[in-house]
Amino acid sequence: MAIKHKRLGKHGVLVSNICLGTMNFGWHTSEEDSFKIMDRALELGINFFDTADVYGWDVEHGHTEEIIGRWFALGGSRREATVLATKVFNPVKRKANVAEVNSDGRSLSAYKIRKHCEGSLKRLKTDWIDIYQMHHIDRDCPWDETWQAFGSLINQGKVVYVGSSNFAGWDIATACQEASKRGMSGLVSEQSIYHLNNRMLELEVIPACRHYGLGLIPWSPLDGGLLGGALEKMETGRRKGESFEKNVAKNRDKLEKYEALCREIGHPPGEVALAWLLHNPIVTAPIIGPRTLEQLESAVRAADIVLEEEILQKLDQIFPGPGGEAPMAYAW
């Protein structure tokens, strides 16, 4: 198994072509197992870790960052070996904190960016965040304020790069143009939902990433497990839940063809779905969210899969995209 390292879009930093997502740490995966997964990820060559200030969910917002911080504190150059990304935008409600309107809402105000950055740094037990990502667009807050806040954190050495998540194509363009006016490098990455069964990014987000030199970091690359062998899991009772069953029923025709194709080429469906993303040059690293070591190992195996052009065409037939890029996808 060979993890490759590539630049994040047009930028100089080198990251692994698989990104370790940590959203399961602390509520689906124990702290002990989370430590094992992170250690094994580094052994495999995965140096790109993604988290968010709200991860930890039902246990407590920020709990996942605390787990990562305790792992960094074990030493062994763990922090130095990791390109660390976290996020700001959502409410972060902590049991020990007094309710506070600016922090408990969703925004990208300078007040919130500064305060939440300090909270993440403390929980992560680190002096800096490599990629500080806006978790969503805030169109009510002026870019003057947002970029001033990020610029201040960069000047203080607390943030190295700024990324976006869940931005529309025109949001990426606006953010980059506004940053350029201030002599800033702007966005380095966009983290968004993208997989075989949801290819809407191909209309405008991917062209925007290409134009401005952003690396694309797809989340939910297996469509919540749908592309990970859903039919087999349903038959063996390994994956249940009303919403999942409805999604399987809605997509059954496509899934039957997809899983048959995966059997034909001799690779598990989940690995094929990741390999398909890795064939797109705009994709820097799909985010995987392993709950176990085996899920981590499986994702890494996907990096070795080469999909021939004939297979890529068959996947396009099963999961057709929006027809290309805008406006040619719907006009001339």
Side-chain angles (χ1 to χ4, degrees), residues 229-302:
L231 295 181
E232 179 186 349
K233 291 175 182 177
M234 289 286 289
E235 291 169 2
T236 58
R238 285 186 289 154
R239 186 77 182 231
K240 295 181 179 179
E242 185 178 349
S243 62
F244 184 78
E245 291 175 2
K246 286 182 178 178
N247 205 16
V248 170
K250 177 182 176 182
N251 291 279
R252 177 169 287 277
D253 181 60
K254 288 187 286 187
L255 292 176
E256 288 175 348
K257 295 174 183 175
Y258 174 61
E259 295 188 17
L261 179 61
C262 293
R263 287 192 294 272
E264 178 185 327
I265 63 178
H267 293 294
E271 295 178 18
V272 172
L274 287 172
W276 177 80
L277 285 169
L278 290 169
H279 276 71
N280 190 331
I282 200 68
V283 171
T284 296
I287 298 176
I288 60 166
R291 294 188 300 274
T292 65
L293 282 171
E294 169 51 33
Q295 290 177 348
L296 172 65
E297 303 276 357
S298 174
V300 172
R301 286 194 293 270

Side-chain angles (χ1 to χ4, degrees), residues 94-268:
R94 304 275 293 170
K95 295 170 185 173
N97 290 357
V98 174
E100 192 267 304
V101 65
N102 279 293
S103 201
D104 291 347
R106 290 181 167 89
S107 81
L108 292 173
S109 70
Y111 176 94
K112 180 163 186 169
I113 291 170
R114 180 202 62 81
K115 183 174 182 179
H116 282 221
C117 180
E118 295 295 341
S120 288
L121 290 170
K122 182 178 180 180
R123 289 188 292 272
L124 289 162
K125 298 185 187 298
T126 186
D127 295 326
W128 79 99
I129 294 165
D130 296 301
I131 307 170
Y132 202 26
Q133 302 164 109
M134 294 172 269
H135 210 158
H136 208 284
I137 186 67
D138 179 2
R139 296 187 180 127
D140 293 326
C141 185
W143 279 110
D144 278 340
E145 178 177 344
T146 298
W147 276 125
Q148 178 273 328
F150 282 119
S152 178
L153 292 173
I154 291 169
N155 291 336
Q156 294 171 42
K158 295 177 179 178
V159 168
V160 182
Y161 299 106
V162 178
S164 59
S165 182
N166 306 304
F167 274 31
W170 69 274
D171 294 319
I172 291 171
T174 302
C176 289
Q177 291 296 121
E178 291 292 334
S180 180
K181 289 194 305 187
R182 293 161 179 78
M184 300 177 68
S185 59
L187 302 174
V188 300
S189 59
E190 161 63 13
Q191 185 179 141
S192 189
I193 188 167
Y194 184 46
H195 49 70
L196 276 166
N197 203 33
N198 184 344
R199 299 174 57 175
M200 294 301 293
L201 261 64
E202 295 171 9
L203 278 172
E204 300 200 23
V205 171
I206 286 179
C209 288
R210 184 185 302 113
H211 180 80
Y212 289 100
L214 277 66
L216 180 62
I217 311 168
W219 58 263
S220 192
L222 304 188
D223 193 9
L226 196 74
L227 300 171
L231 295 181
E232 179 186 349
K233 291 175 182 177
M234 289 286 289
E235 291 169 2
T236 58
R238 285 186 289 154
R239 186 77 182 231
K240 295 181 179 179
E242 185 178 349
S243 62
F244 184 78
E245 291 175 2
K246 286 182 178 178
N247 205 16
V248 170
K250 177 182 176 182
N251 291 279
R252 177 169 287 277
D253 181 60
K254 288 187 286 187
L255 292 176
E256 288 175 348
K257 295 174 183 175
Y258 174 61
E259 295 188 17
L261 179 61
C262 293
R263 287 192 294 272
E264 178 185 327
I265 63 178
H267 293 294

